């Protein structure tokens, strides 16, 4: 970050945070009278009663609902287009994303396509996207049941074009949620491994945003507090998912990391992971980031010595004297959360994929490479992929 920064802050989302706060949905002023409620194709939203609770709260607020329940863990364009058509046919006037980042991201993209013609990729920038501007989107309400993406407090939505094998982040002021309700009680059912993988996604939003060359004084505040909270409480939440204090701390850290996404940016670690899961959609986003992280952050160790030391200090609560203290703390955190030995090979990735992963990352999410601490070379990227592979 420059010594005399110039920056702006714009997060137009109303946030309601806390255990039991989902009940505020029945009394909040909502942006419409008929909602498309977007959930995943999995069973958890119904199994744990989250969908029923949200539908009941909306009914109490005199809102009609239509449910769309096909969203995949790595959401695809086909479902965005299908749900947007249903949204128009049913004359829904706002969209509710309920679940993980995939459902909320999809809700944002559906809100765009409910109001715009053509194909979703007409509006996406990067890859084969045409980058057309959008002037209208339906209002969005975000209700996360996982702690990881922070999408409830940023405008970004990540969707995969399944035939082009492009996974691209997109967003604009219209894709900020109007209202976000973060209730940690909706997160106690997440199993340990997913708790860890999702929590590390939030961690890397904060850590990448802290070393990005567009970091600002406000994003630094958000990032360091998110890093501190996750280092302290994510292992607790992984070990005991019923620990509401730990769940709440991790949820708040994830929301803070989303605010980092609104005031700074991810760096090319996210570009590389998007490319990997574009080709291998069964790879969870957070798992890919964890696998890359040690080699990735080692690449920039000499560019960000003071920033690495600062992150190490908020994590360990000890004085740091070298940049590698951060990488050591990161590895310790991975071990405590039992995700240190994730294997990219188990998701189908092979070393001969590395060149096309590199090229896909540059073609689809090339903008993030401009925010790295130094311009990363193709040789450095291949080295990261090779060191991360097992």
């Amino acid at each position: 970050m420059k010594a005399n920064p110039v920056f702006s802050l714009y997060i137009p989302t109303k946030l309601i945070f806390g255990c039991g706060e989902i009940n505020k949905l029945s009394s909040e002023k909502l942006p419409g009278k008929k909602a498309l409620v977007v959930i995943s194709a999995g069973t958890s939203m119904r199994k744990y009663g989250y969908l029923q609770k949200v539908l009941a709260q909306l009914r109490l607020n005199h809102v009609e609902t239509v449910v769309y329940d096909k969203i995949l863990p790595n959401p695809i364009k086909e479902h965005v287009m299908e749900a947007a058509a249903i949204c128009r046919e049913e004359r829904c006037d706002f969209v509710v994303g309920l679940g993980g980042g995939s459902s909320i991201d999809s809700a944002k993209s559906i809100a765009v396509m409910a109001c715009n013609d053509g194909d979703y990729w007409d509006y996406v920038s990067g890859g084969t996207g045409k980058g057309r501007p959008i002037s209208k989107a339906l209002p969005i309400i975000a209700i996360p049941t996982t702690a990881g993406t922070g999408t409830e407090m940023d405008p970004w939505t990540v969707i995969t074009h399944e035939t082009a094998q492009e996974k691209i982040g997109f967003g604009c002021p219209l894709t900020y949620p109007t209202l976000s309700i973060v209730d940690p009680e909706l997160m106690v059912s997440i199993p340990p491994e997913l708790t860890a993988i999702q929590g590390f996604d939030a961690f890397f939003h904060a850590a990448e945003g802290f070393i990005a060359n567009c970091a600002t004084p406000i994003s630094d505040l958000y990032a360091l507090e998110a890093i501190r909270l996750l280092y302290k409480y994510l292992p607790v939440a992984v070990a005991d998912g019923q620990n509401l204090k730990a769940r709440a701390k991790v949820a708040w850290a994830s929301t803070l990391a989303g605010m980092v996404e609104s005031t700074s940016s991810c760096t090319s670690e996210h570009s590389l992971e998007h490319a990997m899961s574009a080709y291998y959609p069964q790879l969870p986003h957070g798992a890919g980031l964890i696998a890359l992280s040690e080699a990735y952050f080692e690449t920039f160790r000499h560019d960000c010595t003071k920033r690495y030391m600062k992150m190490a200090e908020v994590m360990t609560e000890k004085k740091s004297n070298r940049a590698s203290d951060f990488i050591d703390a990161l590895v310790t955190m991975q071990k405590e959360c039992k995700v240190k030995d994730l294997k990219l090979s188990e998701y189908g990735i092979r070393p001969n994929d590395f060149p096309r992963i590199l090229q896909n990352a540059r073609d689809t999410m090339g903008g993030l490479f401009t925010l790295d601490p130094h311009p990363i070379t193709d040789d450095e990227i291949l080295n990261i992929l090779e060191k991360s592979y097992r």
Side-chain angles (χ1 to χ4, degrees):
M1 193 186 71
K2 298 178 179 65
N4 295 300
V6 176
F7 67 96
S8 60
L9 170 64
Y10 179 72
I11 305 177
T13 302
K14 178 174 182 178
L15 172 67
I16 297 175
F17 185 98
C19 293
E21 290 298 272
I22 189 62
N23 295 320
K24 295 277 179 68
L25 188 60
S26 62
S27 56
E28 276 294 304
K29 180 174 170 41
L30 300 180
K33 289 297 181 184
K34 189 172 185 179
L36 182 75
V37 180
V38 179
I39 63 172
S40 76
T43 60
S44 59
M45 290 306 102
R46 290 185 172 94
K47 177 181 177 181
Y48 297 109
Y50 303 150
L51 176 63
Q52 296 90 316
K53 180 180 277 287
V54 165
L55 295 181
Q57 290 289 311
L58 290 169
R59 277 197 299 273
L60 288 170
N61 213 332
H62 311 292
V63 171
E64 295 180 61
T65 56
V66 177
V67 176
Y68 184 83
D69 61 358
K70 295 185 181 180
I71 303 303
L72 301 176
N74 275 307
I76 59 175
K77 179 175 74 72
E78 177 189 346
H79 291 156
V80 168
M81 297 302 296
E82 181 180 69
I86 293 169
C87 195
R88 287 193 298 271
E89 289 164 13
E90 295 285 345
R91 298 187 177 177
C92 298
D93 50 10
F94 69 109
V95 185
V96 177
L98 170 66
S102 56
S103 296
I104 298 171
D105 281 13
S106 297
K108 294 177 179 181
S109 299
I110 292 161
V112 169
M113 292 316 300
C115 299
N116 294 275
D117 60 10
D119 185 79
Y120 179 66
W121 235 244
D122 293 340
Y123 302 93
V124 168
S125 297
T128 58
K130 297 177 182 174
R132 284 173 54 187
I134 67 166
S135 58
K136 188 177 181 184
L138 292 182
I140 302 146
I141 291 179
I143 305 172
T145 62
T146 65
T149 68
T151 188
E152 66 270 12
M153 288 301 285
D154 70 41
W156 309 115
T157 164
V158 178
I159 303 294
T160 296
H161 188 314
E162 56 275 32
T163 54
Q165 293 182 302
E166 296 174 340
K167 181 179 176 181
I168 299 179
F170 164 80
C172 68
L174 292 168
T175 49
Y176 275 102
T178 300
L179 170 69
S180 290
I181 301 178
V182 181
D183 186 338
E185 289 183 355
L186 304 184
M187 302 175 184
V188 295
S189 58
I190 307 167
E193 185 179 12
L194 284 179
T195 297
I197 287 171
Q198 292 159 0
F200 268 100
D201 185 19
F203 182 89
F204 295 124
H205 289 160
E208 289 176 46
F210 191 64
I211 68 169
N213 61 33
C214 62
T216 70
I218 195 74
S219 68
D220 286 353
L221 292 173
Y222 299 150
L224 288 172
E225 180 63 358
I227 288 165
R228 183 188 74 82
L229 288 170
L230 287 164
Y231 185 80
K232 185 172 183 179
Y233 290 103
L234 184 59
V236 181
V238 170
D240 178 10
Q242 298 296 314
N243 185 321
L244 262 181
K245 177 182 178 181
R247 287 288 188 193
K249 297 291 189 181
V250 170
W252 176 228
S254 176
T255 298
L256 281 168
M259 293 160 75
V260 175
E261 292 286 271
S262 291
T263 51
S264 179
S265 177
C266 288
T267 57
S268 63
E269 183 186 22
H270 266 68
S271 305
L272 295 172
E273 197 296 315
H274 283 187
M276 291 196 301
S277 50
Y279 291 123
Y280 297 95
Q282 65 272 32
L283 173 66
H285 176 57
L289 292 171
I290 291 166
L292 292 170
S293 61
E294 186 177 354
Y296 181 84
F297 282 95
E298 178 65 34
T299 304
F300 298 107
R301 180 162 58 93
H302 299 298
D303 302 280
C304 307
T305 301
K306 289 184 178 179
R307 293 205 153 229
Y308 276 39
M309 288 164 59
K310 187 66 178 174
M311 288 191 288
E313 287 174 355
V314 299
M315 292 167 80
T316 65
E317 298 182 353
K318 297 176 183 174
K319 181 71 176 171
S320 172
N321 296 308
R322 56 197 182 110
S324 57
D325 289 341
F326 165 67
I327 297 170
D328 292 345
L330 172 61
V331 170
T332 296
M333 184 179 169
Q334 291 176 358
K335 289 177 179 175
E336 289 178 350
C337 293
K338 298 179 172 57
V339 290
K340 176 67 181 73
D341 297 320
L342 286 172
K343 293 182 174 65
L344 292 175
S345 58
E346 290 182 357
Y347 298 98
I349 297 173
R350 296 292 177 261
N352 59 8
D353 290 316
F354 296 166
R356 68 171 182 158
I357 288 169
L358 183 162
Q359 195 58 50
N360 184 301
R362 289 212 186 270
D363 290 345
T364 61
M365 297 282 289
L368 297 188
F369 288 91
T370 68
L371 304 176
D372 285 335
H374 74 245
I376 193 169
T377 66
D378 287 356
D379 285 344
E380 285 177 312
I381 293 170
L382 291 172
N383 185 53
I384 290 168
L385 292 169
E386 288 162 5
K387 284 187 173 178
S388 301
Y389 189 78
R390 54 175 74 90

